[in-house]
Amino acid sequence: MTVVDVKTVRKIADMAAVFIEEKDLEAYAAQLNTIMEHMGKIMDLDTGDQEPMEHILPVKNVFRDDEVTNKNIKDELLKNASVKEDGYFKVPTVVE
Amino acid sequence: MSICKKTVTETAELLRTRKISADELVKEYFDEIKKKNPDINAYVTICEDEAIKAAEAAQKIMDSNNDVPYLCGIPMTLKDNICTKNIKTTCASKMLEDFLPPYSATVYKKLLDSGTVLLGKLNMDEFAMGNSSEHSIFGAVHNPWNTAFVAGGSSGGSAASVASNLAAFALGSDTGGGIRQPASFCGVVGLKPTYGLVSRYGLIAFASSLEQIGIISKDITDCGIIMNVITGHDPMDSTSIKRPAEDYSEGLGKNIDGIKIALPKELFGSELEKEVGNVINDTLKRLESRGAVLSDCSLPTIENAIHAYYIISSSEASSNLARYDGIRYGHRNERAENISDLYRKSRTEGFGQETKRRILLGTYALSAEHQDELYKKALKVRNIITREFRNAFDEYDIIAAPVSPVTAFKLQENLNNPLKMYLKDVYTVAANLAGLPAVSIPCGKDKKGLPIGIQLIGKPFSEKLLLNVGKQIEMEAGRLEII
């Protein structure tokens, strides 16, 4: 059973915002298909009315008092951006 | 004997008794790093100037103060997915090749507060995705026991650095075996603590619900001493647990009479190499002769742990790695014409092949058509596996198993067969799904002379017991040292 084909890879690559070159699509599809066929065996397991467990701990929101605990580190944060201007991150035009 | 071969405990004693100064000590380590690292490729960044300054500062503290932290002046190193302020943290990825974190991970701060000296940052599989430390822009880590073999992964640099005496200890991260398996392949101790016991603040995320920062050390006692420093509640990590502090180094080696150790038959299956199985069984017999009570048991759903693990970890990875857009930090394509093109081109160039494969797997599992099927099914299986462990721990104190079905494999051997590579994680992933502590302890070697490790898994927060039983194994098997 083929679950992942070239068409699927093209689609999920688009959703994940990565390009897979045409020449590599077949190879990616074959590998992902082999992997998913194997991992898909999980579907054969009877899980009854078991609840899905997203997290091992009972995860709750953690709140703290609304106090300023850090200082302005704008310049430090901008240091890692490769393109910036006048203290801002710079991106290509978004709205014409 | 080279001073770099010594454990943390032995080195701390030399520093305390003024047999060596902290700055002389780090210089010894850098000599060793310069000699061996070209063959091992454990370090990707070396912080020589900073380390010498830090060591001089540590020495001043030791000279002028009576209340000196135990680890003061001890040279250590960190996997390159643990953020170090203003020191490159690359995740072995082109994406973060030039990333200078504006803040430090909590574990790093704690280690600095205790006076340790950072020697450098360590090679790994890109974004911690892998078990051979071959998926790295810096090239593969080589196993110090035989450089034709892999060091394991994803904390391959951490294990290789400690095994080849290029640091007194190292921290790594374990998402599905990332500390235990390389520790096993390199003949050192590797501990993955209970989920929530060590802060993940500043650990670059791969699969947040599974991963923990942990320790790679030369022996069990060192592991306990370092646990004392890195554990504790951290308000900066919402999954960090509040509980009273323990002394993990106290009482190691005490009597294990009547400790009940279970051996799940599913973790001694047909994929287990005979030689590895024999060494593990022999080690278990020796524990029995020291008073432990061995029993066979069954964790029927654990055979599906590997499936659940790859579905959950890839799903979390696809979500966590969505943050890399090329804008605020990370690799940016310079020729993109519009914003969507910028995201795509930057991510395509920045991520390596294995990282892309995991992102695609996760995107597939989480896509609208499959989410109910695959991801939720995996989460249900996670619940069942966790319950099976809980039931087993009602009866037994510890679960013992191999760490890996094989010893270190040859470099390149599995690179073109990702599924074959993934399946080697079969014994380690369940502890991550259930958030349990697990330790890998060296217990012998195969005919090729490559190390074998045994794994002990415990109930949540039973690290002290794991280390105590681990100490018994160490007393029987001795430390594995490269001659």
Side-chain angles (χ1 to χ4, degrees), chain A residues 15-50:
Chain A
M15 284 157 65
V18 289
F19 286 122
I20 305 293
E21 283 193 49
E22 277 300 313
K23 66 173 175 57
D24 297 331
L25 279 170
E26 288 274 1
Y28 264 101
Q31 278 178 346
L32 293 178
N33 189 56
T34 312
I35 296 165
M36 279 326 303
E37 259 180 1
H38 188 89
M39 302 308 169
K41 284 181 192 166
I42 202 170
M43 297 308 295
D44 301 337
L45 198 74
D46 179 11
T47 45
D49 53 2
Q50 206 56 237

Side-chain angles (χ1 to χ4, degrees), chain B residues 196-197 232-233 241-246 248 460-463:
Chain B
L197 192 56
H233 178 254
I241 291 169
K242 265 189 195 140
R243 65 191 309 278
E246 283 191 71
Y248 295 94
F461 312 114
S462 68
E463 280 82 354

Side-chain angles (χ1 to χ4, degrees), chain A residues 11 14 16-17 19 28 31 36 38 42 45 47 50-51 53-57 80-82 90-91, chain B residues 99-100 195 239 307 328-329 332 344 347-348 353 357 361 369 377 379 382-384 387 423 434:
Chain A
K11 188 177 149 199
D14 186 55
F19 286 122
Y28 264 101
Q31 278 178 346
M36 279 326 303
H38 188 89
I42 202 170
L45 198 74
T47 45
Q50 206 56 237
E51 287 294 312
M53 177 191 253
E54 285 89 359
H55 213 277
I56 193 72
L57 303 171
N80 278 297
S82 51
K90 196 176 175 190
V91 296
Chain B
F99 179 58
L100 287 172
Y195 188 86
T239 61
H307 311 135
R328 294 150 302 148
Y329 51 86
R332 174 167 177 151
R344 273 157 219 276
R347 290 167 63 79
T348 303
Q353 205 185 17
R357 197 179 291 128
L361 275 174
E369 303 98 288
K377 187 77 170 182
L379 295 179
R382 181 179 195 179
N383 201 354
I384 298 174
R387 201 190 54 222
L423 295 179

Side-chain angles (χ1 to χ4, degrees), chain B residues 30-90:
Chain B
F30 283 115
D31 285 346
E32 203 75 357
I33 291 170
K34 280 171 201 157
K35 223 187 303 164
K36 290 185 188 160
N37 196 54
D39 293 329
I40 309 284
N41 203 22
Y43 279 88
V44 298
T45 301
I46 291 172
C47 310
E48 190 166 1
D49 295 341
E50 298 92 326
I52 290 172
K53 270 187 216 139
E56 284 165 356
Q59 190 57 48
K60 263 190 203 142
I61 294 174
M62 287 189 278
D63 289 340
S64 62
N65 201 331
N66 291 326
D67 190 21
V68 178
Y70 187 81
L71 290 179
C72 195
I74 297 290
M76 58 86 189
T77 176
L78 301 172
K79 186 176 182 178
D80 212 17
N81 59 351
I82 297 173
C83 285
T84 41
K85 188 173 178 179
N86 294 328
I87 297 171
K88 257 197 230 174
T89 302
T90 68

Side-chain angles (χ1 to χ4, degrees), chain B residues 106-138:
Chain B
T106 298
V107 288
Y108 176 47
K109 277 198 212 145
K110 282 175 177 272
L111 286 172
L112 288 183
D113 289 346
S114 65
T116 63
V117 176
L118 180 72
L119 298 177
K121 302 295 294 286
L122 298 167
N123 207 349
M124 56 186 278
D125 283 299
E126 182 180 4
F127 284 101
M129 296 171 190
N131 56 23
S132 66
S133 298
E134 293 173 285
H135 305 291
S136 160
I137 44 156
F138 303 105

